């Protein structure tokens, strides 16, 4: 239950931000990510596609492709609560508004499945994070279930605004901690 209290409180804070503030802070977060050697060394990157008040990732997708990296995005399967992944080659064609809320995802006819084991780095969305790498997502368990399927988990880097950092999030057995949290002000290695 406590996770839900945190979800509600932090989402409310995040949603107070104006569009320009989200853009500006997202750009700062992305410049920190670009400077990370671990990012520079990654060839296959999985990233969520920022929606609403989430840290924006769309410009980053185009940039990574221009750098010659391979980019994959999650595709939510609401019935099974599973995450599929699909490779993006051309963001305009491969990302189109889907479902009720218009989340940018690959349309069915453009799904391009790749082996998750090829992923080097995952940019993780989330609602709240703590400095130990604890993460509260939207509450469906999509990422926890997806990450549990790896033999060797890729590097997990969470993108978060400062206002999403909390003292400690409740951690359950199935929760997989992130390795790094990048905010507009800090690079935080999970301890
Ligand atoms: N590996 C798993 N196998 C089966 N069920 C799981 C697994 N991981 C999480 N779940 C289920 O998913 C539900 C939601 O988990 P949790 O509250 O941690 O979501 P979350 O981390 O906020 O969501 P998300 O991973 O989508 O960001 C839990 O009730 C849990 O039972
Ligand atoms: Mg979880």
């Amino acid at each position: 239950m406590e996770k839900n209290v945190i979800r509600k409180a932090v989402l409310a804070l995040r949603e107070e931000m104006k569009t320009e503030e989200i853009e500006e802070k997202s750009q700062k977060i992305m410049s920190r990510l670009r400077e990370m050697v671990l990012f520079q060394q990654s060839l296959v990157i999985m990233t969520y596609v920022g929606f609403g008040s989430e840290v924006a990732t769309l410009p980053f997708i185009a940039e990574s492709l221009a750098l010659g990296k391979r980019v994959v995005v999650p595709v939510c399967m609401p019935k099974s609560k599973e995450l599929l992944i699909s490779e993006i080659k051309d963001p305009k064609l491969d990302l189109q508004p889907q479902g009720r809320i218009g989340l940018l995802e690959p349309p069915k006819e453009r799904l391009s499945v790749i082996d998750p084991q090829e992923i080097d780095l995952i940019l993780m969305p989330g609602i709240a994070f703590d400095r130990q790498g604890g993460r509260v997502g939207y509450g469906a368990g999509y990422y926890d279930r997806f990450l549990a399927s790896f033999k060797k988990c890729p590097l997990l880097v969470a993108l978060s605004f400062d206002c999403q950092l909390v003292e400690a999030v409740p951690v359950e057995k199935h929760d997989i901690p992130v390795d790094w949290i990048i905010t507009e002000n800090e690079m935080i290695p999970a301890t």
Side-chain angles (χ1 to χ4, degrees), residues 122 124-125 129-135 147 155-159 176-181 188-191:
I122 303 183
M124 301 279 294
F129 302 92
D130 66 29
R131 289 172 184 271
Q132 291 74 51
R135 164 183 174 277
L147 296 176
L155 186 76
L156 304 180
V157 177
L159 306 182
I176 299 184
V178 299
D179 301 301
W180 286 85
I181 303 155
I188 306 166
T191 49

Side-chain angles (χ1 to χ4, degrees), residues 3 7 135-137 141 144 172 174-176:
K3 273 186 177 174
R7 282 187 185 105
R135 164 183 174 277
V136 176
D144 290 317
E172 297 171 89
H174 63 259
D175 284 317
I176 299 184

Side-chain angles (χ1 to χ4, degrees), residues 63-178:
E63 196 183 311
S64 298
L65 289 171
L67 287 171
K69 297 183 189 292
R70 295 177 72 190
V71 177
V72 304
V73 299
V75 184
C76 294
M77 298 285 128
K79 282 208 188 105
S80 58
K81 296 269 188 323
E82 260 183 307
L83 268 192
L84 296 187
I85 54 170
S86 184
E87 182 166 4
I88 300 296
K89 295 244 165 86
D90 179 340
K92 277 213 183 73
L93 294 174
D94 292 330
L95 293 174
Q96 290 178 26
Q98 307 290 321
R100 248 181 309 138
I101 58 169
L103 210 63
L104 289 176
E105 280 187 351
K108 273 198 195 69
E109 67 278 10
R110 292 198 60 95
L111 280 180
S112 162
V113 177
I114 82 163
D115 179 0
Q117 308 291 334
E118 289 192 57
I119 299 170
D120 299 307
L121 168 74
I122 303 183
L123 297 181
M124 301 279 294
I127 295 181
F129 302 92
D130 66 29
R131 289 172 184 271
Q132 291 74 51
R135 164 183 174 277
V136 176
Y138 287 91
Y142 277 109
Y143 275 88
D144 290 317
R145 226 171 275 115
F146 176 68
L147 296 176
S149 68
F150 280 88
K151 274 187 235 126
K152 183 183 174 292
C153 192
L155 186 76
L156 304 180
V157 177
L159 306 182
S160 163
F161 297 114
D162 250 3
C163 65
Q164 294 173 254
L165 288 177
V166 301
E167 190 57 38
V169 304
V171 176
E172 297 171 89
K173 257 217 313 262
H174 63 259
D175 284 317
I176 299 184
V178 299

